[in-house]
Amino acid sequence: MNITVDGRTVPAEEGQTIAAALHADGLRAWRTTRVGARPRGLFCGIGVCFDCLVTINGRASIRACLAPARDGDVVTTGGER
Ligand code: FES
């Protein structure tokens, strides 16, 4: 299956989270902090740190490490917090 990330097609496996799909595709950071614009991506991987926030199908501030990838999901990255 495939998801769309910032307009780009990214492959995802059944049962994989959005964060895992991004990581498998080589993306290590997909947003920045408001202060200092420091890169953030997958950190804890268990929903604690909120570093992995993305927008999925128009729903903002979703933790990518907890969100299962579904075929056709549209993911937008680059938010600040
Ligand atoms: S990586 Fe920490 S909440 Fe997702």
Side-chain angles (χ1 to χ4, degrees), residues 16-36:
Q16 200 173 33
T17 63
I18 296 288
L22 295 178
H23 204 266
D25 196 53
L27 202 55
R28 297 295 183 263
W30 50 82
R31 55 176 287 276
T32 57
T33 60
R34 185 173 298 144
V35 178

Side-chain angles (χ1 to χ4, degrees), residues 1 3 10-24 30 42 45 52 56 63-70 73 75:
M1 70 174 159
I3 62 176
V10 171
E13 300 293 329
E14 193 69 38
Q16 200 173 33
T17 63
I18 296 288
L22 295 178
H23 204 266
W30 50 82
L42 188 60
C52 63
I56 304 172
R63 287 169 286 180
C65 69
L66 297 181
R70 296 187 175 88
D73 275 348
V75 178

Side-chain angles (χ1 to χ4, degrees), residues 2 8 47 55 69 72:
N2 292 306
R8 190 170 56 86
T55 297

